Amino acid sequence: MRHAFIRNGFIAAGLINILAVLLLSRVFTNAVIPATDPVVMSNFGLLMIVVWGLVFLAVAARYQHVKWVVGAFVVEKMVYAVAWFRWITTHEVAAVYAKDLFAGLFYSVYGLNDFLFMLFFAAVFYQLHQAEAAPLAQK
């Protein structure tokens, strides 16, 4: 993957985290999102998603220097994707839509988004690992 594509991927991950949470939670005033999954998606949890978004943005231009931070992003996205998968397979998202459209949208897509960005961050981590290992193989 090219540097510009990867940088833009980090920017997209950051902006999606920040803007989706702020929009769909109505800047933390949507009570349905935290009530639906109070352990993972409390207002504090939503705030931490915004913080992760800020970190993705902070790393965008210099990701190639922080391979293990990128690895942590893989784990972070995996945790949210697994939490969503467990939720979506044991709850009815239609019931959430019945309470609030924005909350329904949030619960419909957040795990898919996290899964896709987990794959993106994993590919970046792998690429960084390969680039780091290549000079060692030549010795």
Side-chain angles (χ1 to χ4, degrees):
M1 291 183 289
R2 301 181 71 91
H3 172 73
F5 177 80
I6 294 171
R7 184 192 68 236
N8 290 339
F10 278 89
I11 292 169
L15 291 176
I16 288 170
N17 266 37
I18 295 164
L19 297 176
V21 166
L22 293 177
L23 174 70
L24 297 175
S25 75
R26 294 184 190 96
V27 191
F28 308 108
T29 64
N30 185 336
V32 177
I33 292 174
T36 301
D37 188 355
V39 173
V40 178
M41 294 302 166
S42 66
N43 278 333
F44 179 79
L46 293 171
L47 177 62
M48 290 300 97
I49 293 169
V50 171
V51 170
W52 276 108
L54 293 171
V55 176
F56 300 150
L57 291 175
V59 168
R62 311 234 342 129
Y63 68 87
Q64 64 270 43
H65 302 290
V66 290
K67 176 180 91 171
W68 290 106
V69 173
V70 175
F73 293 167
V74 175
V75 174
E76 182 266 345
K77 289 298 186 186
M78 181 181 63
V79 167
Y80 278 100
V82 168
W84 175 80
F85 181 77
R86 291 183 67 188
W87 186 91
I88 202 79
T89 58
T90 59
H91 294 80
E92 289 294 326
V93 75
V96 181
Y97 274 103
K99 294 176 187 174
D100 182 78
L101 173 65
F102 282 13
L105 287 170
F106 180 84
Y107 280 99
S108 292
V109 301
Y110 93 78
L112 296 174
N113 174 73
D114 287 328
F115 179 74
L116 293 174
F117 277 108
M118 178 194 74
L119 295 177
F120 168 75
F121 290 137
V124 173
F125 180 82
Y126 179 77
Q127 182 173 317
L128 293 172
H129 180 73
Q130 291 299 103
E132 187 177 89
L136 297 175
Q138 294 174 357
K139 289 184 180 182

